[in-house]
Amino acid sequence: MKFMKLGSKPDAFQADGKCIRYVTSDLSTDVIVNVAEVKFYLHKFPLLSRSNHLQKLVLKANEESSDEITIADFPGGPKAFEICAKFCYGMTVTLNAYNVVAARCAAEYLEMTEDVDRGNLIFKIEVFLNSSIFRSWKDSIIVLQTTKSLLPWSEDLKIVGRCIDSIASKTSVDPSNITWSYTYNRKLSAPNRMVQDDVKLQEKVESVPKDWWVEDICELDIDLYKRVMTAVKSKGRMDATVIGEALRTYAVRWLPDSVEALVADAHSWRNKLLVETVVYLLPSDKGVGCSCSFLLKLLKVAVLIRVNDSSWEDLVKRISLKFHEASVKDLLIPARSPQTTFYDVELVQCLVKRYLVHENFGPQLDVMKNELGCDDFVLGHGLLLNVGKLIDGYLAEIAHDPNLDLASFIDLSRSIPETARPIHDGLYKAIDLYLKEHPSLTKSERKKICGLMDVKKLTMEASMHAAQSELLPLRVVVQVLFFEQVRAAAGIQALNNNPGEVSHSTTNTDEEWDKNATANGDCNSLKKQMSQLKIKKDECQKNGKLTKKSSSKNSKTGIQLLPSRSRRIFDKLWVVGKGQSENRSSETSGSSQSPTSMVPGDTKSSGSSSRNRRHSVS
């Protein structure tokens, strides 16, 4: 810390309690100066020789036949006046970053200018400020902090502005040229010199990071911090990522961790001002600077403390640009009244909608592929897949909420395009959790929520779980079994045709199904698959045990058999009615074909098949 000593005489000021200060001298004091609650017993001559304002006050007191002067609202209080008084007496005074602003404001009040005496206090303090204080990083910050209690004097004397300009200029210095200690909490590591076989290797010196300054200015009050950051941004030499890191560090430093502390009456106003200030200072380029996680945390706080509409809108816009970077944990934003859910589902749905609008993700990605280049399309689709996984994970989290109504769950699930979910395992998990948490759902409501998923987009593991679920409607279970059997048949057929490509046929069952069962809506292809499956099933039943005959093949081909319970259901409901291969189930939106209910081997008419089906569907 820089300092400056003024005067050469020893300090002769003495105290008599807390409210009396006097100068020990052979001459008796002839004036009393009241500053706040402190009385100063002093001599007129040294004071009047340096202060034009004291000359006026003494003259007025003489006219009133009084030897006592009262100074109201003295900047800096008794301590600052004592510094000025000691300077008038020529006593030793030490100025530093903590008291220089108070002394400067007091000297200005007392009019200690060059017109009164050459080399007066104002001149000397200005030299100290310009030559030492404003050239020092830490001292500039300390001085700026002290100006808060000396407004409006410090503002009128341009001390605040000069401090801010000094700090902002130093943040723009090339980090490689910084030699001062660059934070309170970090230290430049000493050079690590490696010596081997008397050969001096290259010195390793820790480089100064670009964000070396962000921790130091975190100690500033909100209004001063805002002015410093505005000055830093206005210079245009600071990366947006560093600006974002500075804002994140400041928010972490001052925002409380608990919800109770955030909304407490004693601090809610300050927290609200802090969030609104940080949002105002966010980099102008909305796509860079701050992580989506940090922005969502700010939004969570903004919702709790009810920031102004402009700050909320700005945050939502910024998050919608980077929504694909979010995590499920970040989206768990507590709901406020009148909402009854644990988390703000409507807000998340709003973010999804804005993200899709911004990215121009419509229901037809093929159209977008034609409009965009191939590389842009692949990148955009990859981001969309991230959003699909994010929403499915969020649905799984909020599914535990007993207050979450079915409509909200369905609306959020449908808020993303189908191309965002090439696999429906995450959606199935969320549906399963919702059904467990809401056992009072009616049969029609269960069918409605299950209609969100496409059973042929489930992996083998999810299909096995769904086939044994007692929560799903029977029709959905049947469809799961149907598509798994078709997928297994496709694998067996590929194995018979190409015995050397077992791994290919077992790991691409989704593609095989799409080629064999649903390409161009080919009904004859589906009937052929079903006929092959019936023949294989009848052959297995003649041998007495289906599982034994299949187990040996399963070990070679990697095809997983359905559980016994699922096979029993499937045995009762196994057949494809005439003309049913292309019917889409009204209760399961993802299925392009739905099996009807008929006993295997039965060759009754389609009308009989329809009657049996009506009795079988739940």
Side-chain angles (χ1 to χ4, degrees):
M1 180 183 294
K2 305 292 184 180
F3 64 92
M4 181 176 71
K5 284 189 176 182
L6 301 175
S8 57
K9 297 180 181 179
D11 187 356
F13 269 69
Q14 301 292 325
D16 185 3
K18 294 182 179 181
C19 297
I20 295 177
R21 299 284 287 166
Y22 62 93
V23 178
T24 56
S25 172
D26 295 337
L27 298 175
S28 60
T29 59
D30 52 6
V31 64
I32 302 173
V33 181
N34 296 296
V35 180
E37 71 281 0
V38 179
K39 289 180 176 292
F40 289 88
Y41 292 83
L42 306 172
H43 303 86
K44 293 180 181 179
F45 176 74
L47 297 179
L48 302 184
S49 64
R50 297 277 187 170
S51 172
N52 188 38
H53 188 64
L54 284 177
Q55 292 177 14
K56 299 175 183 177
L57 293 177
V58 170
L59 180 61
K60 183 178 180 180
N62 290 337
E63 293 175 354
E64 298 174 353
S65 301
S66 174
D67 60 355
E68 193 165 344
I69 300 171
T70 300
I71 302 177
D73 300 326
F74 189 83
K79 291 184 178 180
F81 180 82
E82 186 172 332
I83 292 175
C84 295
K86 287 180 179 180
F87 176 80
C88 293
Y89 277 93
M91 299 177 186
T92 301
V93 177
T94 301
L95 297 178
N96 54 45
Y98 290 101
N99 63 13
V100 67
V101 178
R104 176 66 181 86
C105 295
E108 187 71 21
Y109 181 91
L110 295 175
E111 300 178 12
M112 302 175 73
T113 63
E114 294 297 288
D115 295 338
V116 180
D117 186 40
R118 192 171 183 179
N120 214 339
L121 185 58
I122 291 178
F123 172 78
K124 292 185 179 296
I125 292 178
E126 285 295 328
V127 171
F128 179 54
L129 288 173
N130 294 324
S131 63
S132 297
I133 294 296
F134 295 144
R135 293 188 178 185
S136 170
W137 167 253
K138 286 185 177 180
D139 289 345
S140 296
I141 295 175
I142 294 171
V143 167
L144 182 59
Q145 288 177 300
T146 62
T147 60
K148 183 78 173 179
S149 60
L150 292 162
L151 295 174
W153 287 91
S154 58
E155 193 74 65
D156 295 338
L157 295 174
K158 311 298 182 184
I159 298 177
V160 177
R162 285 185 286 172
C163 282
I164 291 173
D165 186 66
S166 171
I167 295 169
S169 298
K170 289 178 176 58
T171 61
S172 304
V173 174
D174 186 347
S176 62
N177 296 330
I178 294 174
T179 57
W180 58 82
S181 177
Y182 56 89
T183 67
Y184 291 114
N185 301 325
R186 308 173 191 163
K187 293 181 180 179
L188 281 169
S189 62
N192 180 18
R193 302 182 179 183
M194 301 177 62
V195 180
Q196 184 177 2
D197 297 331
D198 297 330
V199 178
K200 187 176 181 180
L201 302 180
Q202 184 178 4
E203 295 181 357
K204 293 185 177 180
V205 181
E206 181 182 345
S207 60
V208 178
K210 290 183 179 180
D211 62 346
W212 60 267
W213 50 274
V214 301
E215 292 182 13
D216 290 354
I217 65 172
C218 281
E219 299 304 316
L220 295 174
D221 289 337
I222 297 174
D223 53 345
L224 292 176
Y225 181 84
K226 180 179 180 179
R227 294 179 63 177
V228 169
M229 290 301 299
T230 301
V232 170
K233 292 173 63 180
S234 66
K235 293 185 177 296
R237 296 193 288 257
M238 190 62 61
D239 291 342
T241 53
V242 180
I243 296 292
E245 175 61 20
L247 297 176
R248 187 197 66 82
T249 303
Y250 191 79
V252 171
R253 169 69 176 81
W254 291 107
L255 284 177
D257 296 329
S258 65
V259 175
E260 291 77 10
L262 276 172
V263 299
D265 293 338
H267 304 290
S268 61
W269 180 86
R270 183 184 183 282
N271 295 333
K272 180 179 179 181
L273 178 62
L274 191 153
V275 173
E276 292 174 353
T277 300
V278 170
V279 174
Y280 170 80
L281 293 172
L282 288 172
S284 56
D285 187 350
K286 293 181 172 60
V288 297
C290 297
S291 67
C292 187
S293 177
F294 169 61
L295 294 176
L296 280 166
K297 289 176 182 176
L298 274 182
L299 183 61
K300 184 182 297 185
V301 176
V303 170
L304 290 172
I305 61 180
R306 301 184 187 278
V307 298
N308 59 50
D309 293 341
S310 61
S311 297
W312 187 91
E313 183 67 23
D314 192 8
L315 271 177
V316 170
K317 285 182 179 179
R318 292 174 182 274
I319 294 170
S320 65
L321 297 176
K322 312 181 76 171
F323 189 70
H324 56 274
E325 298 178 3
S327 67
V328 174
K329 183 179 180 181
D330 296 331
L331 294 181
L332 300 179
I333 301 173
R336 295 296 299 267
S337 59
Q339 299 181 61
T340 58
T341 54
F342 295 157
Y343 303 112
D344 198 334
V345 181
E346 294 179 3
L347 178 56
V348 174
Q349 191 167 352
C350 174
L351 293 173
V352 175
K353 181 179 179 180
R354 293 199 181 196
Y355 174 78
L356 296 176
V357 170
H358 171 75
E359 297 294 338
N360 295 320
F361 285 133
Q364 299 296 332
L365 276 184
D366 291 337
V367 176
M368 188 180 75
K369 183 175 182 180
N370 294 331
E371 295 176 353
L372 300 174
C374 183
D375 293 340
D376 292 337
F377 170 76
V378 172
L379 177 61
H381 193 207
L383 300 181
L384 189 59
L385 294 179
N386 291 342
V387 174
K389 293 179 181 178
L390 175 66
I391 294 303
D392 286 348
Y394 181 74
L395 287 170
E397 285 293 330
I398 64 175
H400 297 283
D401 186 352
N403 297 324
L404 179 66
D405 60 88
L406 183 62
S408 298
F409 186 95
I410 293 176
D411 289 344
L412 181 58
S413 174
R414 290 175 175 171
S415 63
I416 58 176
E418 294 181 3
T419 48
R421 284 196 188 99
I423 303 296
H424 276 208
D425 285 21
L427 180 59
Y428 167 69
K429 178 183 178 182
I431 292 173
D432 182 64
L433 291 172
Y434 189 87
L435 291 175
K436 289 178 180 178
E437 190 64 39
H438 301 78
S440 61
L441 290 178
T442 65
K443 184 182 294 185
S444 61
E445 289 175 332
R446 290 174 181 269
K447 290 180 180 180
K448 190 173 183 180
I449 192 173
C450 290
L452 294 172
M453 64 179 176
D454 187 344
V455 295
K456 67 179 178 2
K457 291 185 179 181
L458 297 177
T459 62
M460 180 74 74
E461 182 180 0
S463 295
M464 292 299 100
H465 186 279
Q468 300 177 79
S469 175
E470 297 181 356
L471 300 173
L472 300 177
L474 183 57
R475 176 179 286 274
V476 177
V477 175
V478 171
Q479 288 180 327
V480 171
L481 296 172
F482 168 72
F483 286 116
E484 278 306 310
Q485 287 287 39
V486 173
R487 186 148 49 183
I492 294 173
Q493 184 177 10
L495 176 62
N496 293 335
N497 295 336
N498 300 290
E501 299 181 3
V502 175
S503 61
H504 175 77
S505 64
T506 56
T507 57
N508 294 279
T509 53
D510 284 336
E511 290 81 352
E512 296 295 338
W513 160 250
D514 291 335
K515 292 178 181 179
N516 291 306
T518 62
N520 301 320
D522 192 346
C523 180
N524 293 331
S525 175
L526 177 60
K527 290 181 178 179
K528 184 177 179 180
Q529 293 288 333
M530 295 299 299
S531 299
Q532 292 177 353
L533 288 175
K534 286 187 65 179
I535 293 172
K536 291 180 178 294
K537 181 176 179 296
D538 293 337
E539 290 176 354
C540 293
Q541 288 177 339
K542 289 179 182 179
N543 292 332
K545 287 186 178 181
L546 177 62
T547 55
K548 286 186 178 180
K549 182 174 181 179
S550 300
S551 61
S552 60
K553 283 186 178 183
N554 190 33
S555 63
K556 295 178 181 179
T557 64
I559 299 172
Q560 185 175 355
L561 292 176
L562 296 173
S564 58
R565 172 182 175 274
S566 301
R567 286 202 311 275
R568 288 197 301 270
I569 297 174
F570 195 74
D571 289 342
K572 296 178 181 179
L573 300 165
W574 173 261
V575 79
V576 175
K578 183 178 180 180
Q580 296 295 322
S581 59
E582 293 182 352
N583 290 342
R584 178 177 294 270
S585 170
S586 61
E587 294 126 4
T588 53
S589 62
S591 303
S592 59
Q593 291 88 10
S594 58
T596 55
S597 307
M598 185 177 287
V599 178
D602 196 345
T603 58
K604 291 184 179 181
S605 65
S606 59
S608 176
S609 173
S610 300
R611 287 194 297 272
N612 290 333
R613 181 170 68 255
R614 287 196 297 271
H615 288 293
S616 301
V617 176
S618 61

